Amino acid sequence: MTDASDSLFGGRLTIDLKAITANWTILKNKLSDRAECAATVKADAYGTGLTQASKALYDDGCRTFFVALPVEALKLCRGMPDATIYVLDGLFPGTAKTLAENGIRPVLASTDEVQEWAAFCRETGQHHPAALHVDTGIHRLGLSAAEFEEVMLNGDIREVFTPSLIMSHLACGADPEHPMNSEQLKRFKNLTSAYPDIPKSLANSAGVFLGEDYHFDLVRPGISLYGGKALDTMPNPMQPAVKVEARIMMARSVPQGDTIGYGAMQTARRDLRVAVVAAGYADGMMRRAGSTDIAPGAYAMIEGHKAPLLGRVSMDMITLDVTDISPHLTRRGAFVEMMGPQLAASDLAAYADTIDYEYLTNLGRRFLRRYASLT
């Protein structure tokens, strides 16, 4: 029987915290005893809930977490006061006191940030821990090789501040054969070999699968924890952790030759029975995944049956072809799976010319969110 609260929503977003912790264990078991498995929980833990996912990981043994923003770190440290929390976006001007008071560690990525953090350490007379981010080729955040060496040789800075971690980020880890991976590994080793006593980190989710050479002292997986696909060239070994379902609002007939949806982009090539479901791009269902007469779009799953999208994805609804599916399964009020164990986020993302990261972090703002097992 449908719960009264459930009936008020157009869709359901189910998150399996046990699957997230199981994925963390899978990744941890790929490491040597030397390396620690952290967790990247930025962007609301990739859409699964920052506090809920992080607490589950903490209870399973994870002790180091990475977020993007200071505000995320503050939310996190309230529930796990003894966890180590790093802010990947670095030191925003004027935030050193707030971070230090809450035991939060910025990942310093420029000489300005290093100097501001060192000045704060000098003023307070304390060696507040922070990480250093060195760029090895992605050319986003990060100290250049010359800047890193200058920082590490600067006696005034080293007198008041010793890095708790030196890290870099892979540009092409999703493609194991890409030469950029080995090039970045070589650059990272060359830059950091003179500092054996400082922990090091290079591997994200993809880096974990690239092998022990990339693991160093700490890995910081993200997408793999939430069931996403880290590598482009191999099957995904992670458990699905998210399921998105949308409610069927009505089923109707469309005669051959009529068009469906905005812009009349798709024509019925036969007499169709279609289901209109309460999910659209306002719920994270990408408009680019829609279907036209020229190119087919994505699909949903109904009890093991594929239901192709018909026409454009609109703000609040999607139309599905359910002609060959039992009317009992496509009745008004029934739910269809838009993403989950039957339809991986990476497969859905391919139809929208995007990646599963984008789907996961944009899902279900208007859906009923619940935490339960997917099995």
Side-chain angles (χ1 to χ4, degrees):
M1 188 172 185
T2 303
D3 188 286
S5 61
D6 181 274
S7 66
L8 301 176
F9 295 84
R12 303 186 294 217
L13 174 60
T14 304
I15 298 159
D16 189 339
L17 295 176
K18 289 185 178 179
I20 293 174
T21 58
N23 288 335
W24 181 77
T25 300
I26 290 171
L27 297 168
K28 181 169 66 75
N29 288 342
K30 290 183 174 295
L31 310 178
S32 68
D33 293 339
R34 166 193 169 190
E36 176 187 357
C37 191
T40 299
V41 293
K42 61 182 180 176
D44 199 32
Y46 289 57
T48 65
L50 174 65
T51 55
Q52 295 89 341
S54 300
K55 185 60 165 58
L57 288 162
Y58 179 87
D59 289 344
D60 210 51
C62 184
R63 286 297 179 269
T64 303
F65 297 85
F66 289 81
V67 295
L69 301 169
V71 67
E72 294 174 319
L74 288 171
K75 288 180 182 178
L76 197 55
C77 68
R78 294 184 189 121
M80 301 180 297
D82 62 333
T84 299
I85 302 168
Y86 285 100
V87 177
L88 290 165
D89 283 6
L91 180 65
F92 292 177
T95 60
K97 183 174 185 292
T98 299
L99 297 186
E101 286 178 347
N102 288 278
I104 298 166
R105 304 180 182 187
V107 178
L108 307 175
S110 70
T111 53
D112 287 344
E113 289 183 346
V114 172
Q115 289 167 0
E116 182 174 341
W117 190 254
F120 176 75
C121 292
R122 191 175 293 109
E123 290 167 8
T124 59
Q126 298 181 45
H127 286 245
H128 299 288
L132 286 180
H133 186 165
V134 57
D135 177 44
T136 54
I138 196 170
H139 291 297
R140 300 189 309 176
L141 295 177
L143 296 158
S144 69
E147 289 170 335
F148 174 74
E149 292 177 354
E150 180 181 348
V151 166
M152 297 305 289
L153 295 174
N154 189 319
D156 291 340
I157 290 176
R158 293 299 300 274
E159 183 179 321
V160 296
F161 162 59
T162 301
S164 57
L165 182 71
I166 303 172
M167 61 167 279
S168 192
H169 192 61
L170 294 168
C172 303
D175 179 1
E177 303 303 320
H178 201 290
M180 189 68 175
N181 295 322
S182 58
E183 179 61 28
Q184 285 191 266
L185 177 63
K186 181 177 72 173
R187 292 175 186 175
F188 189 64
K189 284 182 173 179
N190 289 341
L191 284 167
T192 62
S193 60
Y195 310 102
D197 297 332
I198 302 175
K200 300 165 188 67
S201 176
L202 179 62
N204 53 6
S205 289
V208 173
F209 292 97
L210 294 181
E212 189 173 341
D213 284 350
Y214 290 82
H215 296 167
F216 291 92
D217 302 291
L218 180 144
V219 301
R220 42 183 208 280
I223 190 67
S224 288
L225 295 175
Y226 313 104
K229 189 175 182 180
L231 298 182
D232 296 334
T233 57
M234 63 172 279
N236 185 7
M238 314 313 292
Q239 294 186 23
V242 174
K243 183 179 182 181
V244 178
E245 300 168 285
R247 186 187 303 277
I248 295 176
M249 296 183 286
M250 67 176 295
R252 64 183 304 151
S253 298
V254 177
Q256 182 179 359
D258 279 13
T259 58
I260 299 154
Y262 281 126
M265 300 298 292
Q266 185 147 33
T267 306
R269 297 182 180 179
R270 58 172 177 159
D271 291 342
L272 298 176
R273 185 170 182 271
V274 305
V276 184
V277 301
Y281 57 75
D283 305 295
M285 297 289 105
M286 302 295 174
R287 190 170 183 268
R288 298 187 300 277
S291 181
T292 70
D293 287 337
I294 298 172
Y299 60 92
M301 294 297 297
I302 302 175
E303 299 293 333
H305 303 280
K306 282 188 177 183
L309 269 67
L310 295 170
R312 285 179 173 168
V313 175
S314 54
M315 183 182 292
D316 309 302
M317 62 190 79
I318 292 171
T319 304
L320 304 174
D321 182 355
V322 296
T323 308
D324 300 320
I325 302 175
S326 168
H328 172 71
L329 298 177
T330 58
R331 65 194 182 279
R332 174 173 167 261
F335 283 89
V336 304
E337 183 177 315
M338 307 300 297
M339 177 191 300
Q342 299 180 83
L343 177 54
S346 56
D347 293 336
L348 181 59
Y351 287 96
D353 192 26
T354 186
I355 54 177
D356 44 8
Y357 297 71
E358 186 175 9
Y359 262 106
L360 287 170
T361 56
N362 283 283
L363 280 176
R365 296 182 181 92
R366 301 187 298 181
F367 290 165
L368 173 69
R369 177 176 292 229
R370 60 185 188 175
Y371 291 88
S373 174
L374 298 185
T375 58

